[in-house]
Amino acid sequence: MGLYAFNCSEKLQTVNIRRGTCGHSVLSLGSMKTQWIWNKEKTKIVEPLDYENVIAQRKTQIYSDPLRDLLMFPMEDISISVINRQRRTVQSTVPEDAEERAQSLFVKECIKTYSTDWHVVNYKYEDFSGDFRMLPCKSLRPEKIPNHVFEIDEDCEKDEDSSSLCSQKGGVIRQGWLHKANVNSTITVTMKVFKRRYFYLTQLPDGSYILNSYKDEKNSKESKGCIYLDACIDVVQCPKMRRHAFELKMLDKYSHYLAAETEQEMEEWLITLKKIIQINTDSLVQEKKETVETAQDDETSSQGKAENIMASLERSMHPELMKYGRETEQLNKLSRGDGRQNLFSFDSEVQRLDFSGIEPDIKPFEEKCNKRFQVNCHDLTFNVLGQVGDNAKGPPTNVEPFFISLALFDIKNNCKISADFHIDLNPPSVREMLWGASTQPASDGNAKGSSPESVIHGIAESHLRYIKQGIFSVTNPHPEIFLVARIEKVLQGNITHCAEPYIKNSDPTKTAQKVYRTAKQVCSRLGQYRMPFAWAARPIFKDTQGSLDLDGRFSPFYKQDSSKLSNEDILKLLSEYKKPEKTKLQIIPGQLNITVECVPVDLSNCITSSYVPLKPFEKNCQNITVEVEEFVPEMTKYCYPFTIYRNHLYVYPLQLKYDSQKTFAKARNIAVCMEFRDSDESDGGPLKCIYGKPAGSVFTTNAYAVVSHHNQNPEFYDEVKIELPIHLHQKHHVLFTFYHVSCEISTKGTTKKQDTVETPVGFAWFPLLKDGRIITFEQQLPVSANLPPGYLNLNDGESRRQSNVDIKWVDGAKPLLKIKSHLESTIYTQDLHVHKFFHHCQLVQSGWKEVPGELIKYLKCLHAMEIQVMIQFLPVILMQLFRVLTNMTPEDDVPINCTMVLLHIVSKCHEEGLDSYLRSFIKYSFRPEKPSAPQAQLIHETLATTMIAILKQSADFLAINKLLKYSWFFFEIIVKSMATYLLEENKIKLPRGQRFPEAYHHVLHSLLLAIIPHVTIRYAEIPDESRNVNYSLASFLKRCFTLMDRGFVFNLINDYISGFSPKDPKVLAEYKFEFLQTICNHEHYIPLNLPMAFAKPKLQRVQDFFSFAVDRLTSVDSNLEYSLSDEYCKHHFLVGLLLRETSIALQDNYEIRYTAISVIKNLLIKHAFDTRYQHKNQQAKIAQLYLPFVGLLLENIQRLAGRDTLYSCAAMPNSASRDEFACGFTSPTNRGSLSADKDTAYVSFQNGHGIKREDSRGSLVPEGMTGFPDQGSTGENTRQSSTRSSISQYNRLDQYEIRSLLMCYLYIVKMISEDTLLTYWNKVSPQELINILILLEVCLFHFRYTGKRNIARVHDAWLSRHFGVDRKSQTMPALRNRSGVMQARLQHLSSLESSFTLNHSSATTEADIFHQALLEGNTATEVSLTVLDTISFFTQCFKILHFLKQFEGLWRQPCVKQVYWHHFSDSVCLHRVSVSYLGNSHNMRSLSLLYLLW
């Protein structure tokens, strides 16, 4: 009945799971007609052991075990660590007293987030908790692969030399012109194209024949192809293909098509070729006959020799001979152990190491690194140059000051994408023109030099005044991004008038003197006012990959048009700039030397846009580089969670319409002064928080926009950058003051004249906050003629009508000023829903009496928050939601609605491909907080309960599906909450059963039951959701092993697996094995399986005359668990469950078999390379744990070796017991499921016929079997019975499956201890013992080395089938000599495909073929040595049979002889060619010793 035990009398158990609250329908596995029956029999579920109880009861046994590391979880397996937040800056970007000054809950949480270190739950052995590819070992592949020498490769080389020598020196039997078909799999037979070639039929020195083709009669040139006739089985005419054509049929169903020029020539070729085929056939028959006779002679002689030795030993026991045998065998064993390799190292999966399914490492939140480049500003010169001030001896310079502002513009998206970078390149002599004497007022109104120098973030303010290097960053680079330079000068008058001397310069010296005199007067009077002068631009990127255009240069200076000052006008001009034929701009001669380069890797002395120094930064450094703020496009894919404190507001006055005002007589040269204030009272003043421009203070109280001469409707392009305070209130506002600036220049200027430079002509203001949020949209503001106290109360028309404030409006309070603002803040949000939610939470925390349902309303509104805001403030929002989940209110619907918001956020992050931020949040940012209410549940308790409630809802299937699909997030949150609770509450020291309350165990069990039907029933409806929750649940339960009662987790796993059925479709079988694979990848999987004896072992002292066979006391465990019994599956729950499911899967279709075999093999690979378990005793204990796997292979031995390979045991009496065979060792009383069923297990045993072993090398291939396993007859392999038996109803296993299973088998027999192996051999039946040896022969066959030429040929055949590649090597068989013919007949073209690690492409090199041959050769060598180790130990243990008189008759039975000789000697002969010389030397030494001792 297979390895699964069945119980027909047990009732079908169904798990009822409610899917709705009171009044809803009940969804159950039984009601949905879930079929958990396999052929009307239900799978018997084996209950796992009470792990914690067993550990407690066997504590002494475990601690005294020398291999206790395999039985115990390590101490301090889990811990919490606080990781310092990695910062780019020298100091934190958060101000020191920020949290105390903050009053808004949202701002407080943001500041807390940016200043809190990471809290990480560490699993000490987490590196071992994944697939074998994730192991922390240096490399799974050996650094240097040994190069073994094989006879088959040497034969090929000799044949190549012989072929070349024979073709040169003679031996030609026949020659002539033939037409050869150009073989190509992409065309049909009748369409084959023939080419005329000259052929030589030659006999080689070893008697074989070869047919070479050349372009002409001169055979000295390179052969165009060769056909080895040893592989030819027939030659027939093909008149339908071509006239005088004939076909050479080869062994591997491959044919060569040739055609003669005349009918007579064709007849002559046919006669010659048929004779050669007959000669080859006769020689093969004779070789077979000689082989059989030799084998019989060897057997007879060995029997006689063994009998003579036995008789002699009966008289004298030959102690010297036995001593020599033991010593020799020990030396052979040590010799075989030198330089051994891990067999899995050469496995195709290990060699490929495909990491596609491995999740990347989770990194903490960090500032997004966009494409960055550095701008270095060197020089700005126009063609009006002269000596200025004291610079009489220096080089000529500009005769008046100019100011530059740089910014990035995106033509493609029609926007400005960076802040302004202001540069002052004026030499000191020119700068002095702006202030003259040192007491001249600076731009902020403070006397320069009158106060001590201030320090900003540890940097002297003087070092920040003249920064000439900036770093720009671009999120979305493309060729249509331009760096625009705007040139300004001191206000003087009309732009055209001011630019004329620079354009028309007939007398440079005279012009320079004139311009200098005028500029000196203007600077002394109007030095703080600017006017636009010119602009230039240059492209930045070559392509969308961000390649910098390092060779680009700025365009000529274009005179600024006073009517085209706005950013929109610049964007239009840039579009025209790309089309020179449409550009009609006036050029001002000059040169701007600004270079663009990549940011150096070792860049130092850089500061952020907030002037916070970045690492590394030198003290007192004056050559500073500043980062220019990027305005990231408001697109979700460019968003990232904020990690630093930044709080900037950019204000842009756009236009003032004063052409219709009648309030002021003079209002033409209008200057706009901007201030940031926190009060509208008469005694209120501006705040010093505006970023200043070069040469002035770093922070100033006001900023001026450029002045347009004689323009009553001026436009502005200025950008004012404000450092916002941490706490904003309703009184914070930006105040605009408009001045009429007198540009008159008098040579007899007086102090009175100086005082009338500016005249106020209006005021405007806009409050920063509206409904508690910062306003950033474009606004139209009215302008007042005066500024009375309390003016902020006049913001709208209604307040203006009701206010008693004495105010006079310009032009009837029409909106005359257009402005806009841009917020770059990481502590303020503009999203209304997020603001209201946090505001309500703040009210509740402050003691405000909550209105029922109010919180639920705000929670539901969060579904409408902007996705960009959601991402940017992700940690802040998520942490507040988790507080609400456990703290805010006892209302029943609040936790569910809160979880629904969490689900909405998680789903949106996945939809935008930003789920990595969620993983970073869980690992680093999420820190469960204790609930403030005494009776409140913890996060893991509340969240698990709400998940159950959502899954039970029958109406909202969309929410259910989302919860299933993204369940990983909630399970990870639960796990971290559980771990934090255990560690911070010191519960980790309690016994596991007491760590969590029983109620929480019940919640987890209910959650599991709620998930099961969505996986096992709705899998077709929601494939992605069911697969995701299946994996997420497995990962969660795997983590629970570390935190909870492990026996309870075993029960959860058992309940989940019981929801699957052997009759489930393929997708559910895949789910089941994905679940098991995830569980079994636990870092302490071995201790979870308790590889220990569950019964007291008996020490059996061997009698004195056994001392020469066993030289020590052998610990024989009479209760060795070697079968998949219920006791085994209970004691070793996980491995037993996996093996039972694998045994069922092996009877299923290919996809399911493949999945199950891969899980087993990958798990064993992980054990083999686990650095914690590399000692041979540890590996032996692990291998013993998988001993029932051998029984699984024995049940499927027909599918591994073929029916005809199994030996008939008709000669052995059915009553023969283990006592008669195993030299007095006690036979087991219960063989379990490993015992063969005589009626159904092996068909070949019923007929009583043995295999025809005409040639030992062909013993493993059934007669009539085709070269491809998947083409085997299904009639013989399909049972007509209604129930499954151990014979699969599907085809034979393919090469990948067989090799994978055998590789696992070889790992077990290689690693398992000799004592355990001997005990196991004593427990199995005689027939099973023979089958175990058969498996060894099967291993030799399937891992045989086929030679480099055959490996290349198989690859070429693969290329031919998939790409139609025609290579000359396709005409060459794998082997050329006579000894290789028989092996060629055994060859399957597909035998190596599944093990190929080559990159299947037409570009495969000879080095690739050599590497593959190296892997195959090492695999064959390691397999042969492993088999030799096993057989040698087997022989050493059971040779005592010949000294026991009562077994003398048994030895004479043919079946027993086969055990010792037929397998060993034939295996050696079979693989003489395909085993390396190293393996052959070990084979012959062991064979000689065996011959001597027997």
Side-chain angles (χ1 to χ4, degrees), residues 263 497 758 825 837 845 873 887 1205 1268:
E263 184 175 358
H497 174 73
E758 55 184 26
S825 174
F837 168 69
Q845 290 180 7
F873 297 99
N887 282 334
T1205 308
F1268 300 91

Side-chain angles (χ1 to χ4, degrees), residues 69-105:
D69 289 343
L70 297 177
L71 302 172
M72 300 170 53
F73 274 42
M75 301 296 292
E76 299 179 356
D77 189 32
I78 181 175
S79 62
I80 287 183
S81 62
V82 179
I83 302 176
N84 293 331
R85 181 183 286 264
Q86 297 297 317
R87 300 181 178 94
R88 295 194 306 137
T89 53
V90 174
Q91 62 194 53
S92 175
T93 57
V94 180
E96 293 181 359
D97 57 345
E99 198 164 350
E100 290 75 15
R101 283 189 284 165
Q103 298 183 21
S104 165
L105 175 63

Side-chain angles (χ1 to χ4, degrees), residues 49 104 145-146 180 281 294 337 394 465 551 558 565 591 620 644 653 735 748 859 1029 1055 1077 1237 1254 1262 1449:
L49 50 72
S104 165
I145 302 177
K180 183 180 182 295
T281 303
T294 303
R465 286 199 176 117
D551 299 327
Y558 297 114
L565 296 179
Q591 183 178 2
N620 300 322
I644 62 171
L735 177 65
K748 299 179 181 180
L859 283 171
V1029 74
D1055 289 344
Q1077 183 178 33
D1237 188 333
E1254 297 175 350

Side-chain angles (χ1 to χ4, degrees), residues 490-503:
V490 176
L491 176 61
Q492 182 176 346
N494 184 272
I495 297 177
T496 303
H497 174 73
C498 295
E500 185 175 353
Y502 293 90
I503 298 174

